[in-house]
């Protein structure tokens, strides 16, 4: 797991090359303009980044979770916001591939794997965040359709995407009343709210999705009625790993910028990089990132193997890596002094982008709840 073979190194190098060529040169402009680079996302599909852990019979790359986290770390060195959207798209694509019928897989997955179709994951609602099992969006059976009424909140890609993997209530209260549906974005009765004004993640849209008697075929359901909550949670395990990887990648880019800056910057007659206190800061930042990376790889391997502790490990990795990523990026900004606060240096963007990673895919407080339950056996 810790010594990469030639193929594994090539996967990471390909992702870094993509980030260096297509993401990093444009990241600040996209952030400033709040531009969602769909044209660049279309380029990511043919490289294999649209369906990383999806079967190759439907156009996926058929790679492991361990490969995926290495890819997302490298993509995030170019732009954490765009890398994070690609992660969310992959989560939706994988859920259709994993839980869909053969007909559903062949209808949706090839276009999503190529990123000709863009996908979103729709679980959170205006009044329902961490307590996802309490969601209220209703799907009432009417012949061969479900009629959907309700709203989803904080949906990445909404308004620019083609398909949602959406959790809806088809039964009674609690997790057993939730089902998963493939909802085309052009479904009559589905609309989106304005793009949210956010602290970071400006290179991807975040909107509310509103459902007013939107009819979706029963044939678009993933699994049986009542399977939706477990499908959503299984998708989140991988989503948490990928967001953790995006935090490490963004922070790694911040560290690299800081080493270069301290090497070039002169103060008190010598380069700042010769100051032992600053060198110790760099050493601590690198050590913390390596610790987070090691835990992330351990959790990804556990998920690949279906290990009994996979859920807890995914939660540990997400909590630790997103906290470390933010702190390292924030320290990098501090080490740049006043220049770190300027947009053109790129540090403040990384800090803003990484802050939300401590909230989404389950807040880090909820990650502690998941780990504590695994330790104590408490419900």
């Amino acid at each position: 797991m810790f010594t990469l073979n030639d193929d594994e190194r090539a996967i990471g190098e390909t992702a870094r090359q993509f980030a260096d060529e297509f993401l990093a040169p444009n990241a600040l402009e996209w952030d400033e303009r709040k531009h969602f680079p769909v044209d660049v996302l279309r380029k990511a599909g043919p490289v294999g980044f649209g369906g990383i852990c999806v079967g190759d019979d439907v156009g996926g790359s058929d790679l492991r979770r361990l490969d995926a986290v290495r890819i997302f770390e490298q993509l995030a060195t170019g732009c954490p916001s765009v890398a994070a959207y690609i992660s969310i798209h992959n989560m939706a694509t994988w859920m259709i591939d994993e839980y869909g019928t053969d007909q559903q897989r062949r209808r949706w997955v090839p276009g999503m794997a190529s990123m000709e179709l863009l996908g979103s994951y729709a679980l959170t609602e205006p009044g329902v965040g961490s307590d996802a099992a309490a969601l209220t969006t209703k799907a009432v059976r009417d012949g061969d359709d479900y009629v959907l009424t309700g709203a989803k909140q904080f949906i990445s890609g909404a308004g620019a995407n083609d398909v949602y993997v959406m959790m809806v209530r088809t039964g009674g209260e609690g997790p057993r009343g939730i089902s998963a549906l493939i909802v085309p974005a052009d479904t009559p009765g589905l609309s989106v709210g304005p793009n949210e004004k956010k602290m970071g993640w400006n290179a991807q849209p975040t909107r509310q999705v509103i459902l007013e008697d939107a009819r979706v075929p029963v044939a678009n359901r993933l699994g049986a009625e009542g399977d939706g909550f477990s499908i959503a949670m299984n998708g989140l395990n991988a989503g948490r790993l990928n967001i953790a990887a995006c935090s490490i990648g963004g922070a790694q880019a911040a560290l690299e910028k800081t080493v270069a800056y301290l090497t070039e910057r002169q103060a008190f007659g010598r380069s700042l990089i010769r100051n032992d206190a600053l060198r110790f800061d760099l050493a601590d930042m690198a050590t913390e990132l390596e610790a987070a990376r090691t835990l992330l790889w351990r959790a990804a391997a556990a998920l690949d193997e279906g290990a009994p502790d996979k859920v807890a490990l995914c939660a540990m990795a997400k909590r630790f890596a997103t906290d470390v990523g933010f702190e390292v990026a924030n320290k990098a900004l501090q080490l740049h002094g006043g220049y770190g606060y300027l947009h053109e240096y790129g540090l403040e963007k990384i800090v803003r982008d990484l802050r939300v990673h401590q909230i989404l895919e389950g807040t880090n407080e909820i990650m502690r709840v998941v780990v504590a339950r695994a330790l104590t056996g408490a419900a």
Side-chain angles (χ1 to χ4, degrees):
M1 181 169 64
F2 299 108
T3 302
L4 305 187
N5 60 35
D6 289 344
D7 288 342
E8 290 167 335
R9 277 193 296 272
I11 289 169
E13 289 168 359
T14 299
R16 184 60 186 252
Q17 289 167 3
F18 187 90
D20 289 346
E21 181 176 358
F22 296 110
L23 305 185
N26 302 299
L28 291 179
E29 180 187 358
W30 293 339
D31 177 73
E32 189 170 14
R33 291 173 48 211
K34 296 179 172 55
H35 173 68
F36 188 44
V38 172
D39 57 333
V40 172
L41 295 177
R42 302 278 192 244
K43 298 179 190 295
V47 184
F49 299 153
I52 295 171
C53 297
V54 166
D56 54 13
D57 63 318
V58 283
S61 298
D62 202 22
L63 296 176
R64 303 167 300 171
R65 297 297 179 190
L66 190 52
D67 301 310
V69 296
R70 291 168 179 156
I71 288 170
F72 283 109
E73 176 181 346
Q74 298 306 320
L75 291 177
T77 62
C79 179
S81 175
V82 173
Y85 172 74
I86 297 174
S87 165
I88 293 165
H89 169 88
N90 268 266
M91 181 164 59
T93 306
W94 176 82
M95 291 167 73
I96 297 174
D97 182 56
E98 180 71 12
Y99 296 102
T101 63
D102 188 64
Q103 183 178 8
Q104 289 170 336
R105 293 176 70 244
R106 297 191 182 282
R107 165 67 181 86
W108 296 103
V109 177
M112 296 175 75
S114 69
M115 298 198 79
E116 288 301 314
L117 298 177
L118 299 180
S120 296
Y121 175 83
L123 174 65
T124 302
E125 297 183 357
V128 180
S130 295
D131 187 12
L135 67 84
T136 60
T137 295
K138 291 185 178 180
V140 178
R141 183 77 178 257
D142 182 22
D144 292 332
D145 294 331
Y146 288 111
V147 180
L148 277 57
T149 304
K152 295 294 180 179
Q153 186 75 31
F154 302 132
I155 307 305
S156 293
N161 64 341
D162 301 282
V163 59
Y164 300 91
V165 175
M166 186 176 294
M167 308 309 139
V168 297
R169 187 161 301 282
T170 54
E173 296 182 357
R176 291 188 177 87
I178 296 171
S179 298
L181 295 180
I182 304 167
V183 181
D186 60 359
T187 298
L190 185 153
S191 61
V192 298
N195 193 8
E196 302 285 0
K197 297 178 181 179
K198 309 186 295 288
M199 174 180 175
W201 268 26
N202 289 323
Q204 57 164 292
T206 303
R207 292 185 171 94
Q208 190 177 85
V209 178
I210 302 152
L211 301 149
E212 298 174 304
D213 295 330
R215 301 184 76 89
V216 176
V218 173
N220 283 23
R221 189 183 66 224
L222 293 174
E225 280 198 358
D227 287 349
F229 189 76
S230 63
I231 290 173
M233 294 302 105
N234 287 338
L236 278 176
N237 285 330
R240 287 165 180 167
L241 295 182
N242 293 342
I243 286 299
C246 289
S247 287
I248 294 172
Q252 181 66 42
L255 176 59
E256 292 170 6
K257 288 176 182 287
T258 305
V259 172
Y261 175 78
L262 294 181
T263 301
E264 297 168 2
R265 178 74 169 172
Q266 298 283 322
F268 306 106
R270 63 175 184 171
S271 169
L272 288 179
I273 201 71
R274 295 176 60 191
N275 183 301
D276 279 343
L278 302 183
R279 288 155 68 99
F280 290 169
D281 282 338
L282 295 176
D284 286 344
M285 293 158 72
T287 300
E288 289 161 9
L289 280 180
E290 191 60 33
R293 185 179 293 113
T294 300
L295 177 57
L296 177 61
W297 289 13
R298 164 83 170 88
L303 190 58
D304 280 328
E305 296 163 5
D309 56 352
K310 64 183 180 183
V311 174
L313 282 168
C314 288
M316 289 178 189
K318 193 271 180 181
R319 198 288 297 168
F320 187 71
T322 57
D323 282 349
V324 164
F326 177 76
E327 292 302 328
V328 167
N330 195 44
K331 184 65 175 179
L333 188 154
Q334 183 72 21
L335 290 175
H336 276 71
Y339 292 104
Y341 207 65
L342 300 181
H343 184 70
E344 66 187 273
Y345 281 75
L347 273 300
E348 60 87 29
K349 175 194 179 298
I350 294 174
V351 171
R352 288 187 287 106
D353 282 347
L354 297 193
R355 181 59 183 87
V356 74
H357 294 190
Q358 296 169 295
I359 299 171
L360 57 85
E361 311 292 37
T363 67
N364 284 3
E365 290 75 19
I366 291 297
M367 296 304 95
R368 291 175 171 90
V369 171
V370 173
V371 175
R373 284 175 176 171
L375 287 172
T376 64

